[in-house]
Each structure stands twice: as C-alpha cells, then as structure tokens.
Amino acid sequence: MLVIVDAQPGFYDAEPLAASDVEPAADVLRRAAWIAGVAAALGVPAVITEEDPGRNGATDARILEALG
C-alpha cells in the first residue's frame, strides 16, 4: 500500500518556507507523483491524507492525476 501524507500546497507554498527550500519541496512532489504513477501501474492500493484542506489546499494535482 502507498500512503501519501499531506502533499498539499499549504505545506510547500507557505510564506515561511525559505526560498532555498522551494525547489527541493517541488522536487519531492514531482517524485511523489512519479511513485504514485508506478503504484497505479502496478495496481498497488493508495491512501491519501489531507490536513485541513480548507486551509492547506487539496493534494497536489500531479499526484492525483498519477493515481488516476
């Protein structure tokens, strides 16, 4: 089972995020989307959690698209 936890813009686009951390955070999300795509291709079940989506936004669209 693949578990994706809090891959939401409120955690990586937030103002307190240092400028030097913006690209590494985006890279983590790209990699998570790739892993999600591999899991979907292999038929691995996936669970996504979101903390307070009203404040932090929905799960990154690339991840959702990769899962299908």
Side-chain angles (χ1 to χ4, degrees):
M1 174 175 284
L2 173 66
V3 179
I4 298 173
V5 179
D6 300 341
Q8 301 162 259
F11 293 107
Y12 66 88
D13 279 345
E15 189 168 313
L17 192 62
S20 62
D21 292 335
V22 171
E23 185 54 35
D27 190 45
V28 167
L29 292 172
R30 282 191 293 273
R31 290 171 189 236
W34 180 82
I35 291 168
V38 170
L42 295 174
V44 174
V47 173
I48 298 174
T49 68
E50 294 181 339
E51 180 181 328
D52 194 3
R55 184 179 74 202
N56 297 316
T59 298
D60 187 85
R62 293 170 289 191
I63 294 171
L64 296 175
E65 289 173 21
L67 288 173

